[in-house]
Amino acid sequence: MHALRKITVTILTLCCSVVYGQKKIQFQDISFNEAIAKARATGKLVFVDASGANQSAILKQVQEEVFTQDSVATFFNENCISIHVNMQAPEGREFARHLAMLMYPVYLFFDKDTTQIDFVSAGVVAKDAPVLMKKARSSLAEAQQRARNTNHIVFATGSWKEMLATAKKENKLIFLDAYTTWCRPCIMMAKNVFTLDHVAEYYNANFINVTMDMEKGDGPALVKKYKIRAYPDFLWIDGDGNVVYRNGGYKEPDVFIATGKEANSKKKKS
């Protein structure tokens, strides 16, 4: 009996040691801005767990079953500055603009320039745990690529009348990025696509690029003239004000370049 009790105690001790030694994602008690500063100094991602004050069953499941996986914890601890943001606290209200209209609870990946590279909801991770690592790895690769970028689409300034005159003089199409400040795909295009070297090289060489808030300045008149109903709306317009080609919605970089080439081919045919 004494030997059996000793064995039982030993097993319990070993089990406790395993649980105690288990890895987990290490979250830092710092603000988003402080995390970004650390990311700039280290080249790491910023991983944000944005949720409310109350921990739901889904959040607890992810914390206990996903954040504690050795491979997940190792990757995040080596490559991310991880923080919690309580969306119902003052820091949450400050952080809300970075959510880009996403609903929380949600997990987000940012680069050192506060570009939101990717996100995934807590509910999705709870159902499909591997998706978190997939998002994390692709976000790190994209952040590293962005760090090497030095170019961006150069948008012309001036009145719409001046843009038309420039397009006619240079025999180029105007690429009009018709956006609104509340449109999440518009925000993502501006931060994630317009800032890439290969996108910028093509658009800067081939178009008079114009980005315009459709609720300000010349925007409302163009909404009416070109019957813009959804955002972002991309229009390629000649110097006479005629729409040669149009498309819209969030586009991955290669698709966005292909769309521009299609627009340019319409101009040449006409």
Side-chain angles (χ1 to χ4, degrees):
M1 181 64 73
H2 179 72
L4 179 59
R5 186 181 297 112
K6 186 175 182 180
I7 292 172
T8 303
V9 171
T10 302
I11 292 174
L12 288 174
T13 302
L14 288 173
C15 289
C16 291
S17 297
V18 170
V19 172
Y20 182 80
Q22 189 177 44
K23 287 185 178 181
K24 62 181 179 180
I25 295 177
Q26 299 297 322
F27 284 87
Q28 301 183 35
D29 187 18
I30 58 177
S31 70
F32 178 69
N33 288 338
E34 289 171 327
I36 288 294
K38 283 194 172 187
R40 287 173 180 158
T42 62
K44 294 183 176 183
L45 291 171
V46 173
F47 173 61
V48 179
D49 169 10
S51 57
N54 298 321
Q55 292 294 296
S56 67
I58 288 176
L59 288 174
K60 289 180 180 178
Q61 178 186 339
V62 174
Q63 290 170 2
E64 294 173 1
E65 299 179 8
V66 182
F67 290 176
T68 55
Q69 293 178 17
D70 282 355
S71 59
V72 173
T74 298
F75 181 90
F76 276 74
N77 293 339
E78 290 180 354
N79 297 287
C80 303
I81 308 297
S82 302
I83 63 171
H84 295 293
V85 174
N86 179 358
M87 297 305 299
Q88 295 170 328
E91 64 267 23
R93 290 189 285 274
E94 169 64 22
F95 177 75
R97 59 193 175 91
H98 297 290
L99 274 183
M101 300 180 68
L102 286 175
M103 299 298 291
Y104 60 86
V106 65
Y107 305 121
L108 309 104
F109 298 91
F110 294 87
D111 71 3
K112 62 182 179 61
D113 297 318
T114 72
T115 297
Q116 185 191 118
I117 297 178
D118 210 342
F119 67 93
V120 61
S121 72
V124 170
V125 175
K127 293 177 182 178
D128 182 16
V131 74
L132 185 67
M133 279 301 299
K134 181 179 179 181
K135 297 273 186 179
R137 292 186 187 282
S138 63
S139 294
L140 180 61
E142 184 170 333
Q144 291 171 340
Q145 175 61 50
R146 288 180 177 283
R148 295 191 289 268
N149 287 335
T150 58
N151 208 350
H152 59 85
I153 292 180
V154 177
F155 290 102
T157 58
S159 68
W160 183 244
K161 185 176 180 180
E162 291 171 330
M163 298 301 103
L164 291 172
T166 301
K168 201 159 193 175
K169 179 181 178 181
E170 298 185 14
N171 191 30
K172 288 183 177 180
L173 293 177
I174 294 172
F175 161 62
L176 174 61
D177 166 38
Y179 76 93
T180 64
T181 57
W182 46 262
C183 162
R184 183 176 186 280
C186 301
I187 295 169
M188 300 307 288
M189 285 297 296
K191 296 196 76 173
N192 289 11
V193 180
F194 297 168
T195 54
L196 297 177
D197 282 352
H198 61 304
V199 171
E201 286 166 7
Y202 182 79
Y203 274 74
N204 290 342
N206 290 280
F207 305 117
I208 307 299
N209 300 303
V210 177
T211 185
M212 189 180 298
D213 184 344
M214 291 292 104
E215 297 179 336
K216 296 179 181 178
D218 290 324
L222 296 184
V223 167
K224 184 176 181 180
K225 177 179 176 63
Y226 295 120
K227 296 181 173 57
I228 298 172
R229 299 288 182 269
Y231 302 99
D233 200 358
F234 304 131
L235 299 91
W236 284 264
I237 300 168
D238 66 21
D240 294 317
N242 302 311
V243 176
V244 172
Y245 190 71
R246 76 189 301 165
N247 209 306
Y250 183 84
K251 301 245 180 315
E252 294 296 334
D254 291 343
V255 175
F256 187 56
I257 291 175
T259 303
K261 290 181 177 179
E262 177 69 14
N264 234 0
S265 71
K266 301 293 184 183
K267 174 185 83 82
K268 292 172 182 175
K269 288 179 181 178
S270 64

